[in-house]
Each structure stands twice: as C-alpha cells, then as structure tokens.
C-alpha cells in the first residue's frame, strides 16, 4: 500500500489559495480535504478544536508519486485545516489534519523567516545535523506566515536522498504548516528535483510573488555566474531573459516594500563575495528595492544602506547574507569591509516583521538568542529612515 515519504508541505500561498504537496513511495491518486477551523471559546482561548466540518474536497485521479493539489476559493488571512489521502490498488494512506493559513491582504502585518545552507554546510558539519534541526525548531517557535530559503538546501541536488536528509526530513514538522520559497544555490546544481518538488511560479529558477505589502523577487544567480568562470560572469550580466524579467517585474510591482533574493552575495566581508553581481545594484536602486537577501558565504552579515557603491542613509539598499544553518568563522576577513554594518559567524535565522510603514529584521542564533536588529521606516512619500 502507498506510504508517504515526503511532506506534506505547503507552497505558493495567496489570499484565496494554497498548494499542498507530498511524495509517496508508490504511484497513487491525490486528494486533499479542507476543514473549517473551529476555536475553543471556553477555558483555552485561542486554541482550535480538531476540526470536523468538511468544507471542500480537491482530488486528482492520475497516479503519481509527487502530488500537487491547489486549494482555491479560500478567504484571506484565514486558518483552515487540511488532510490528504493517496490511494492505489494496494490500499490507501492518510495524513493530517494540519493547519494552514492563507496569505494576508495588503495593509495587514505579517512575519516571515529566512535561512539557508541546510545542505550546503553539511560537508563542514561536525554536529551530525544538530545545527540544521535546531534552526528548523527555532523558526517554528516564531510561527512565521512563510519562510524563504536562500539556496543550498541540499548538498548535491542530483542526489535524491539529499532532499530528505537535509531539508524535508529535519524540516518536516515546520513545513507542515509554513509555506516556503527557495532559490537555486550552487549545491542544487540546477537539478531536476528542484523543479519536481516545488510549485514556484514558472520558470521556477526565477520568479516573483506578492504577500501582504511586500513584493518578493527571486533570481537565479547561478545562471549569471557559471561554475567554469566563478566568481565572474560569463557574459554581460545585463543581457538575457532573466534581466528582462527583473526590469519588468520591479517596474510593475505595486507594493510598499520590495525584497529581492538570490544565492551569491554581491557584498560580504568574507570569502566567496561575487562582485560581478553588483552590476545588478543600479536596477535595485532605480526601482526602490529595500532589502536583498543572499547566502553562499556561511555567515551572517548586514550591510549599511548602499547606493552607487556608497553608503546612502536616505534611500540605500540593505544587503543581508543569511548563511544560517551553519557557521564558518574562518571565511570572514580579518576586519570588516567599509560596506559592513554588522557581521557574525554563528548558526542563525532571520525573523522579519512587516507592517505598512515599518520593516523590522531580527537575527537570532540557534539557541534562540537575538544578536542583531535592523529597522527601516517608510513614509507615504517613499522616503526611508534606518534604525
């Protein structure tokens, strides 16, 4: 009979839909039941009963091992419960009921977490995966609305076992109820499993989405910087479909906050800085990008607000390296570079809290201790104030 070997996990949240994915060891059908969430109103305020009222059923009768069901006609910023089922001639398997929350509309505060290197650090990890597990557990404590992974979530993207060992296994409990997005790192190797396991917007290696008052743009820096010429771009970085997408995407974005994320860091006072990617910075500056998240260098680093390769405390872009599920202190330079505001090589994740006029970033280590904060406020005229 079918068995579930990955998930379930949540993808692509909108104000009216959510995608549920899972993998079975044997080909089987796909079904997701959605239940209305029911609060307990006496004695335990805020808790939910095990839901009993079935709202809708969504199914696909095609036999497959990687299952993807999109639930629509949901209400914004609302908690539901979901239960999945897969069936074939040998029997059936069920899992759930687990909570999900649809995306918040514009004007409503929300929070998200950021980390990376769940698999990229594995070659240096002497903790036998403890750091990886701790980071997932700490993020779960903060109950984010969604999560970003900035690449290298596996050690070798072509190796099927790595996706369970470094990502879906240690993250299972967290990913049950927290939708996530990721970008390609060098360790993913642009492998087909990345495209099979994730329901990101096409073409999946770069894409964008809106959540609340934020427009998120994901780029594929591994296509700009090829392995045979790393850390330099093979050709003019402004050429190609991805940059055309970036220009049109940022120009048309209608959101208070703009966040871009990709793997290789243009700014870090340590090893593996990829300065050629600074050629993208004028685009970020022109279209009012507020934050850029990177990884690859397995440290935490936050830049000063930057514009035209200088510090700009009025309208600069802040670059944050979140190489979180690991730490390589020896990769840092002996002293900080001019662009570095804060830097520390400890396992960590970021919690980001967004309101219509304020974005707050908190860097938290694997023991739950806060070690850096950053706040930017934005007026109705778009002017920024950094704290």
């Amino acid at each position: 009979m079918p068995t579930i070997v990955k998930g379930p996990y949540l993808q692509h949240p909108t104000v009216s839909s959510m995608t549920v994915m899972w993998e079975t060891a044997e080909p089987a059908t796909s079904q997701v039941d959605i239940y209305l969430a029911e609060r307990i109103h006496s004695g335990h305020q805020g808790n939910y009963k095990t839901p009993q009222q079935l709202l809708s059923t969504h199914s696909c009768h095609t036999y497959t091992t990687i299952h993807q069901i999109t639930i629509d006609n949901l209400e914004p910023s609302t908690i539901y419960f979901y239960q999945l089922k897969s069936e074939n001639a040998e029997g059936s398997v069920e899992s759930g009921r687990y909570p999900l929350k649809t995306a918040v509309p514009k004007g409503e505060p929300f929070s998200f977490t950021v980390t990376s290197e769940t698999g990229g650090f594995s070659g240096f990890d002497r903790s036998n995966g403890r750091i990886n597990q701790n980071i997932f557990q700490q993020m779960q404590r903060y109950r984010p609305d969604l999560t970003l992974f900035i690449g290298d979530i596996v050690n070798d993207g072509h190796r099927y076992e790595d996706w369970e060992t470094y990502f879906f296994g240690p993250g299972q409990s967290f990913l049950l109820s927290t939708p996530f997005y990721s970008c390609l790192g060098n360790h993913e190797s642009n492998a087909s499993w990345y495209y099979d396991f994730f329901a990101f917007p096409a073409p999946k290696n770069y894409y964008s989405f809106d959540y609340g008052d934020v427009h998120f743009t994901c780029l594929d820096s591994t296509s700009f910087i090829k392995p045979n010429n790393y850390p330099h771009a093979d050709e003019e970085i402004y050429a190609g479909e991805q940059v055309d997408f970036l220009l049109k995407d940022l120009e048309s974005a209608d959101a208070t906050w703009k966040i871009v994320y990709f793997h290789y860091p243009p700014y870090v006072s340590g090893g593996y800085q990829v300065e050629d990617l600074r050629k993208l910075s004028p685009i970020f500056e022109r279209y009012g990008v507020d934050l850029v998240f990177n990884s690859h260098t397995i440290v935490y680093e936050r830049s000063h607000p930057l514009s035209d390769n200088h510090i700009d405390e009025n309208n600069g872009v802040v670059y944050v390296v979140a190489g979180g599920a690991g730490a390589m202190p020896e990769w840092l330079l002996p002293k900080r570079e001019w662009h570095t505001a804060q830097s520390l090589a400890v396992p960590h994740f970021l919690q980001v809290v967004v309101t219509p006029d304020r974005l707050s970033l908190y860097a938290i280590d694997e023991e739950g201790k806060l070690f850096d904060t950053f706040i930017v406020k934005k007026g109705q005229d778009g002017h920024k104030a950094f704290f």
Side-chain angles (χ1 to χ4, degrees):
M1 55 189 298
T3 56
I4 297 172
V5 294
K6 288 185 182 63
Y9 53 98
L10 302 178
Q11 298 276 272
H12 198 37
T14 76
V15 293
S16 61
S17 66
M18 183 75 74
T19 297
V20 181
M21 295 190 70
W22 68 100
E23 184 188 15
T24 52
E26 305 82 13
T29 60
S30 313
Q31 177 178 309
V32 176
D33 293 333
I34 297 297
Y35 292 84
L36 290 175
E38 299 178 69
R39 285 186 182 272
I40 298 174
H41 291 294
S42 60
H44 302 281
Q45 293 290 339
N47 287 345
Y48 285 89
K49 302 177 184 178
T50 300
Q52 301 298 326
Q53 185 176 349
L54 178 64
L55 180 66
S56 60
T57 296
H58 306 256
S59 59
C60 176
H61 299 292
T62 301
Y63 278 39
T64 185
T65 55
I66 298 177
H67 305 262
Q68 179 177 324
I69 295 287
T70 297
I71 314 302
D72 51 18
N73 297 318
L74 303 177
E75 295 296 321
S77 190
T78 301
I79 292 177
Y80 298 87
F81 282 77
Y82 72 96
Q83 179 172 309
L84 61 87
K85 181 179 180 179
S86 284
E87 187 173 11
N88 61 21
E90 302 301 320
S92 64
V93 61
E94 295 184 355
S95 182
R97 301 163 188 173
Y98 306 114
L100 65 79
K101 180 186 176 185
T102 49
V104 306
K106 289 184 177 181
E108 183 172 321
F110 72 98
S111 72
F112 65 96
T113 53
V114 184
T115 196
S116 68
E117 303 295 336
T118 58
F121 181 65
S122 63
F124 312 97
D125 187 8
R126 297 181 180 178
S127 73
N128 295 317
R130 174 188 55 80
I131 292 173
N132 194 346
Q133 294 172 7
N134 283 354
I135 295 299
F136 275 113
Q137 290 170 1
Q138 289 291 348
M139 289 196 298
Q140 190 166 3
R141 292 177 59 196
Y142 282 79
R143 297 169 295 146
D145 292 293
L146 73 157
T147 291
L148 303 182
F149 295 95
I150 316 298
D152 284 0
I153 63 174
V154 293
N155 186 39
D156 181 352
H158 292 291
R159 193 162 53 212
Y160 170 79
E161 295 80 6
D162 275 24
W163 295 89
E164 175 67 17
T165 300
Y166 300 112
F167 187 67
F168 289 109
Q172 181 180 19
S173 178
F174 180 66
L175 303 176
L176 284 173
S177 61
T178 311
F180 66 88
Y181 291 89
S182 185
C183 66
L184 280 170
N186 53 298
H187 279 268
E188 277 78 15
S189 303
N190 201 31
S192 60
W193 293 116
Y194 174 90
Y195 299 89
D196 294 339
F197 285 136
F198 301 143
F200 306 150
K204 294 190 178 183
N205 62 321
Y206 60 89
Y207 56 87
S208 66
F209 65 96
D210 293 306
Y211 196 105
D213 287 311
V214 180
H215 181 76
F216 293 91
T217 304
C218 171
L219 298 178
D220 176 11
S221 58
T222 68
S223 71
F224 290 134
I225 311 294
K226 302 294 178 55
N228 61 342
N229 202 31
Y230 177 92
H232 301 294
D234 285 346
E235 55 189 23
E236 177 54 53
I237 210 165
Y238 282 129
E241 294 181 359
Q242 185 174 190
V243 171
D244 290 342
F245 156 80
L246 176 64
L247 291 166
K248 294 175 183 177
D249 179 71
L250 292 179
E251 184 177 21
S252 62
D254 179 22
T256 302
W257 304 99
K258 296 179 183 179
I259 294 175
V260 177
Y261 59 100
F262 52 92
H263 189 63
Y264 293 143
Y267 291 95
V268 63
S269 54
Y272 304 103
Q273 178 175 262
V274 182
E275 292 188 24
D276 277 12
L277 288 170
R278 296 183 188 180
K279 296 177 182 178
L280 296 174
S281 295
I283 299 176
F284 304 152
E285 295 157 15
R286 184 190 321 163
Y287 292 109
V289 171
D290 301 289
L291 279 179
V292 174
F293 289 119
N294 305 117
S295 180
H296 193 52
T297 305
I298 307 177
V299 300
Y300 169 79
E301 180 152 320
R302 172 174 58 86
S303 78
H304 296 288
L306 304 177
S307 179
D308 193 25
N309 211 36
H310 293 85
I311 295 174
D312 181 352
E313 295 285 356
N314 295 316
N315 288 295
V317 180
V318 174
Y319 295 79
V320 179
V321 177
M328 296 298 291
E330 59 268 39
W331 289 7
L332 290 175
L333 299 177
K335 299 295 179 183
R336 299 176 180 181
E337 292 287 288
W338 64 270
H339 49 73
T340 302
Q342 184 59 277
S343 184
L344 195 64
V346 296
H348 66 277
F349 70 96
L350 311 180
Q351 186 207 25
V352 184
V353 180
V354 181
T355 72
D357 62 356
R358 179 185 178 115
L359 190 151
S360 305
L361 182 150
Y362 306 93
I364 302 161
D365 71 16
E366 65 166 325
E367 296 178 349
K369 297 176 182 177
L370 178 70
F371 65 88
D372 187 34
T373 61
F374 163 76
I375 296 171
V376 56
K377 293 183 178 179
K378 186 178 291 188
Q380 292 184 351
D381 59 357
H383 180 77
K384 301 177 187 179
F386 299 94
F387 301 92

